[in-house]
Amino acid sequence: MSKVTLTIDGLDVEAEKETTILRAALDNDIYIPHLCYHPELSPSGICRLCMVNADGEVVMSCQTPVDQGMVVKTKDPEIDRLRRTSIEILVANHHASCRGCPGSGPCALQKIMAYIRIDRKRVRRLRLPEEDLPKDQSNPYFDYDPNHCVLCNICVQTCEKIQGALHVIGRGIRTQIAFYGNNADCQSCMECVARCPVGALTAKESRSTHG
Amino acid sequence: MSAKCNALVCLGTGCQSGGAEEVLSSLKEEIDRLSLGETVQVKQTGCHGFCQRGPLVVIEPEGIFYSKVSLDDVSEIAKSLLPGEPPVDRLFYREPATDTPLPHYMEIPFYSKQQRTILRNCGHIDPEEIEEYLAAGGYQTIKKVLLGMSREEVIDEIKRSGLRGLGGAGFPTGRKWEVCYKAQGPKKYVICNGDEGDPGAFQDRSVMEGTPHSVLEGMMIAAYAIGAQQGYIYVRAEYPLAVKRLRIAISQAKQKGFLGKDILGSGFDFKIALFQGAGAFVCGEETALIASVEGFRGMPRLRPPFPAESGMEGKPTIIDNVKTLASIPVIIDQGAESFARVGTEKSKGTVVFALTGKVENNGLIEVPMGMTLREIIFDIGGGIPDGKTFKAVQTGGPSGGCLPESALDMPVDFDSLKAAGSMMGSGGLVVMDEDTCMVDLARYFLDFTQRESCGQCTPCRLGTKQLFDILNDITKGQGRPEDIDLLLEISEAVSTHSLCALGKTAPNPVITTIRYFRDEYEAHINEKRCPTGVCGMLET
């Protein structure tokens, strides 16, 4: 495959021709906020956070292939303004505090919040969810906490290729990940738990992760 | 009454709900009882248009128009069809201002100002009889196309006509077909999008119910042009009458050899299957619709690739709205130039609206592109009832914008509506009077879109919910001073970043009500007062 050279934040970067901007950036240790991207899955483009300025146009970097001579800026005031609102909405709807969250530490949302320097005062302008949603503890190997879930869909996409046991259910704000009442399909490979970028899917404590 | 006539009973969904089926069967019995069977043919038709006045009975060829017909009126109507008998003038439509009776429907401004092209058969033929469609010139254009036009010529004709998709986006139909025609692959699909989910909209339903064969004929021409062998009609399961009539139409078209193998000896094969949607609004979005037909959860997919290149099962797929497809036979019949003479520079032909809300005449209308909103609402619609004043009109369904009085003289076409902050959408047109609270209205539409968001992408799933929650607070007198700016900020994020058109357009009612009726928001927030008294505030 042929290579192209582009500039990301002033840095010359070489990338394979079909690669997306997001992948080229991450491969070169340039961070772009994202939740739904996983290197082993095809881009679903649903978190809508990975916007960059490519040759003067704001695009989703996970959807846009690199091009020879392309000039990419991962931050500028317009991107920051547009992205900040989406992230604040996400944080406002994130029912849980980070204290005691099993995802805390490697959490992708925490990373994004630090990156944009989230302003809690701005988040408080938004309306917070009224009640916590019940956890789904029906699976013998791991639990699902919808309050922590950012619906990146990585678990569903991962399972699709393995077992197809995880599904998206509901619509709008009630959208969740679920087994559709069919836990028997789960082979407990735990790949979904391993790939969960936040603390939504967590292994049951009493079981080994390869139970 | 003349020697031979047709008594047409409208059996559209609106008239049916008013008891038109009973009127039809009773009129048939009366005609038999009076031994008029030789001269009078009693027939059902699809939607005649003036739904508010239903059930409707029309006597052709004179065009005598009886409205609000009940079972008690049937024997009198039947008697009037005896030789030498006068029509039943008490059932005539009366001009509201002067009380002048207008016996013929073409004298009624609701009809006389319209230009019925897509709806030309609606209300005039029995949609369940292919013979009637054939007698009205139906299936002549598929003959013309299959026996005398190359695929390139068909696409060129549609391109030159200037037809733009009537489902909402207004993309040039011919260009879409051309992309699909050029896309490589032995298997291609044509899909008719009949997933009309807007509250208050019934234009696609009326076309499917009233002239189903026009839709089939349009699909056949599209299939021939792009090289498809299989078509699907995606219709809401909530439209049982449309489902029934489409089923009948498909089976009759098969019997007559318009569908199947080697159609009209041309070597062209084409089948159509019906697919019933389960009620998700988002399935009207083309990629979600395709996912739904494929058996997946109805969620939009990233575009590009566009369906014309990679759609159903990854194959090149044309997906067009019901009315777009029903326009195709008209273009082939009249010729592109004749079609393009109607309309504005960039929006050609006619547009069908479901005219509803606080307007004297509710119903199904068709007007040339470029007619002003004022003509539509005040001439055809008859203005605002009960002596009230006009306040706003919403075009384009729940994601359309609300336009004020100052927009009334704007010509209605794709581009002017968009410039004003609204959209053509699929053809909903809801009129609001002085009693409507614009904040409450925005809240209503956002409640709809936030519930119908597929939940996939962040800005739409969470942004529409935030918009709804904030609007809800404002209508309860719990708005905060910064809320108007916050609504606009969230609206921008949702409309720029959502994955599909549902999210991209959902904030329109919020943005336009703030743009045109900001003082109402301010009264709610700053004075805890609803100027129209619609919102139950804590204090007054």
Side-chain angles (χ1 to χ4, degrees):
Chain A
M1 195 169 283
S2 55
K3 298 238 177 192
V4 296
T5 310
L6 66 155
T7 315
I8 305 179
D9 293 342
L11 205 75
D12 283 347
V13 165
E14 203 173 61
E16 280 176 8
K17 213 177 166 197
E18 304 290 307
T19 308
T20 61
I21 297 172
L22 178 63
R23 196 157 191 152
L26 295 175
D27 285 351
N28 287 278
D29 294 324
I30 301 167
Y31 177 68
I32 298 170
H34 64 272
L35 283 172
C36 69
Y37 168 79
H38 188 278
E40 284 172 42
L41 299 171
S42 57
S44 61
I46 58 169
C47 77
R48 314 305 283 173
L49 298 180
C50 68
M51 60 200 76
V52 295
N53 183 313
D55 292 336
E57 205 184 326
V58 177
V59 296
M60 292 296 163
S61 61
C62 74
Q63 265 177 271
T64 314
V66 292
D67 207 354
Q68 178 62 37
M70 187 182 248
V71 178
V72 175
K73 282 190 283 182
T74 66
K75 41 190 134 174
D76 71 16
E78 193 197 359
I79 292 171
D80 180 70
R81 184 172 57 85
L82 293 170
R83 179 169 56 199
R84 186 169 290 277
T85 309
S86 285
I87 294 167
E88 285 166 355
I89 293 171
L90 203 49
V91 173
N93 189 64
H94 199 68
H95 299 228
S97 83
C98 296
R99 198 172 300 145
C101 170
S104 194
C107 171
L109 189 58
Q110 277 180 339
K111 188 171 180 180
I112 293 170
M113 287 160 67
Y115 178 87
I116 66 152
R117 296 208 178 94
I118 192 106
D119 179 350
R120 289 281 180 185
K121 262 202 297 233
R122 281 176 53 88
V123 175
R124 279 197 292 273
R125 298 176 307 159
L126 298 160
R127 306 312 196 245
L128 306 180
E130 279 148 30
E131 55 193 33
D132 281 355
L133 304 164
K135 281 186 188 180
D136 183 348
Q137 297 178 315
S138 64
N139 187 285
Y141 308 104
F142 57 87
D143 295 336
Y144 172 64
D145 186 348
N147 303 298
H148 293 245
C149 182
V150 291
L151 287 163
C152 68
N153 219 25
I154 288 175
C155 57
V156 176
Q157 258 193 304
T158 300
C159 192
E160 233 164 49
K161 298 202 168 142
I162 303 168
Q163 210 51 42
L166 277 171
H167 303 276
V168 182
I169 61 160
R171 261 187 250 166
I173 200 74
R174 294 171 191 273
T175 311
Q176 285 196 10
I177 305 303
F179 291 97
Y180 250 142
N182 197 1
N183 273 307
D185 285 348
C186 174
Q187 298 292 305
S188 70
C189 74
M190 303 303 272
E191 201 51 38
C192 56
V193 176
R195 288 184 180 181
C196 179
V198 292
L201 292 176
T202 49
K204 279 201 196 315
E205 278 167 20
S206 56
R207 303 257 177 180
S208 91
T209 47
H210 294 281
Chain B
M1 199 44 65
S2 65
K4 272 201 182 245
C5 67
N6 288 326
L8 307 178
V9 182
C10 174
L11 244 61
T13 296
C15 284
Q16 277 206 11
S17 65
E21 275 179 300
E22 291 78 14
V23 169
L24 176 74
S25 56
S26 161
L27 186 58
K28 278 183 174 163
E29 283 167 23
E30 279 296 301
I31 294 296
D32 283 346
R33 205 176 57 79
L34 296 171
S35 310
L36 278 171
E38 291 284 302
T39 53
V40 181
Q41 214 189 344
V42 182
K43 294 196 296 201
Q44 64 161 337
T45 70
C47 181
H48 199 273
F50 208 164
C51 308
Q52 188 168 27
R53 294 267 160 177
L56 305 175
V57 176
V58 178
I59 311 300
E60 295 282 15
E62 291 87 344
I64 289 173
F65 181 79
Y66 297 130
S67 63
K68 296 198 170 175
V69 175
S70 72
L71 267 183
D72 299 339
D73 305 321
V74 168
S75 64
E76 226 177 311
I77 293 175
K79 259 188 229 135
S80 80
L81 300 172
L82 286 163
E85 289 293 321
V88 190
D89 40 0
R90 66 174 183 88
L91 294 174
F92 290 161
Y93 173 83
R94 282 169 189 276
E95 227 263 309
T98 59
D99 208 36
T100 314
L102 302 174
H104 304 98
Y105 69 86
M106 281 315 290
E107 299 164 334
I108 303 171
F110 176 80
Y111 287 103
S112 62
K113 302 261 175 171
Q114 292 190 43
Q115 182 170 344
R116 296 196 154 214
T117 309
I118 297 168
L119 299 175
R120 66 202 178 286
N121 293 320
C122 247
H124 300 287
I125 63 168
D126 182 343
E128 297 182 14
E129 293 294 340
I130 192 170
E131 297 297 344
E132 295 226 346
Y133 183 67
L134 290 168
Y139 290 118
Q140 287 302 315
T141 62
I142 185 68
K143 275 185 199 160
K144 182 173 169 183
V145 161
L146 288 183
L147 307 178
M149 287 174 84
S150 70
R151 295 163 61 190
E152 296 80 3
E153 280 169 338
V154 175
I155 291 168
D156 185 56
E157 195 75 18
I158 303 303
K159 272 173 77 179
R160 281 189 295 112
S161 77
L163 176 68
R164 293 169 67 172
L166 294 166
F171 189 81
T173 306
R175 257 177 41 211
K176 180 151 82 176
W177 289 19
E178 189 172 44
V179 171
C180 196
Y181 161 77
K182 286 185 178 158
Q184 297 300 310
K187 208 169 182 189
K188 296 182 185 179
Y189 294 102
V190 171
I191 301 177
C192 168
N193 185 347
D195 190 52
E196 176 180 59
D198 304 0
F202 48 87
Q203 59 280 357
D204 292 350
R205 187 193 73 203
S206 303
V207 172
M208 291 186 283
E209 288 175 2
T211 178
H213 287 287
S214 301
V215 180
L216 303 188
E217 191 171 355
M219 288 179 77
M220 291 173 202
I221 295 168
Y224 169 74
I226 64 158
Q229 295 84 40
Q230 176 70 54
Y232 290 95
I233 301 177
Y234 193 98
V235 55
R236 308 177 71 201
E238 295 93 325
Y239 284 177
L241 186 61
V243 170
K244 175 187 159 203
R245 290 188 177 155
L246 284 165
R247 279 226 170 93
I248 293 171
I250 291 170
S251 110
Q252 289 175 342
K254 259 190 224 161
Q255 278 169 14
K256 292 274 179 192
F258 293 114
L259 289 173
K261 294 254 176 226
D262 190 24
I263 295 166
L264 303 172
S266 65
F268 167 63
D269 303 339
F270 186 56
K271 292 185 297 198
I272 295 177
L274 211 59
F275 190 97
Q276 292 188 55
F281 176 66
V282 74
C283 285
E285 196 281 337
E286 58 180 19
T287 58
L289 187 153
I290 287 170
S292 169
V293 178
E294 287 172 349
F296 298 105
R297 181 179 153 90
M299 291 200 290
R301 295 167 179 173
L302 289 179
R303 298 185 309 180
F306 287 89
E309 287 177 315
S310 172
M312 176 95 179
E313 295 160 1
K315 309 283 189 292
T317 303
I318 281 294
I319 170 158
D320 280 324
N321 172 264
V322 170
K323 302 181 296 296
T324 313
L325 289 163
S327 302
I328 301 297
V330 179
I331 295 168
I332 300 293
D333 180 38
Q334 298 180 347
E337 284 68 30
S338 164
F339 182 86
R341 268 198 287 276
V342 177
T344 61
E345 195 197 335
K346 288 185 176 157
S347 302
K348 299 297 185 191
T350 55
V351 53
V352 179
F353 284 116
L355 180 61
T356 57
K358 297 293 173 63
V359 60
E360 196 72 57
N361 306 333
N362 280 252
L364 179 73
I365 65 165
E366 182 174 0
V367 296
M369 293 272 187
M371 186 178 258
T372 64
L373 283 167
R374 190 183 298 281
E375 288 172 282
I376 294 174
I377 296 164
F378 288 89
D379 295 348
I380 295 174
I384 316 301
D386 307 324
K388 299 265 166 83
T389 55
F390 169 88
K391 184 166 195 178
V393 56
Q394 197 205 29
T395 66
S399 308
C402 301
L403 304 177
E405 167 116 47
S406 60
L408 280 180
D409 293 308
M410 192 180 73
V412 172
D413 65 20
F414 288 105
D415 309 298
S416 57
L417 284 174
K418 202 169 173 199
S422 189
M423 58 186 198
M424 186 72 88
S426 173
L429 214 151
V430 186
V431 180
M432 271 82 68
D433 71 6
E434 61 193 66
D435 293 341
T436 311
C437 169
M438 301 313 282
V439 185
D440 181 60
L441 186 80
R443 187 195 64 85
Y444 170 82
F445 286 119
L446 264 293
D447 185 27
F448 179 82
T449 37
Q450 62 99 7
R451 274 188 284 115
E452 292 295 337
S453 164
C454 82
Q456 186 177 215
C457 80
T458 314
C460 180
R461 178 183 73 249
L462 302 178
T464 56
K465 177 69 163 65
Q466 281 293 337
L467 291 174
F468 169 70
D469 284 349
I470 295 166
L471 291 164
N472 206 23
D473 279 356
I474 297 175
T475 57
K476 284 201 245 156
Q478 293 161 9
R480 308 173 195 166
E482 70 273 20
D483 277 348
I484 297 180
D485 289 339
L486 184 58
L487 285 170
L488 291 172
E489 184 187 320
I490 298 169
S491 292
E492 190 193 8
V494 175
S495 61
T496 35
H497 295 144
S498 292
L499 193 149
C500 83
L502 191 158
K504 281 185 198 300
T505 57
N508 279 339
V510 185
I511 298 168
T512 50
T513 50
I514 293 176
R515 184 191 299 172
Y516 299 118
F517 302 95
R518 196 183 180 108
D519 54 333
E520 291 195 29
Y521 279 85
E522 287 166 349
H524 282 78
I525 294 169
N526 302 333
E527 302 163 38
K528 310 288 176 213
R529 179 176 67 85
C530 174
T532 55
V534 170
C535 305
M537 292 293 197
L538 295 178
E539 60 257 73
T540 45

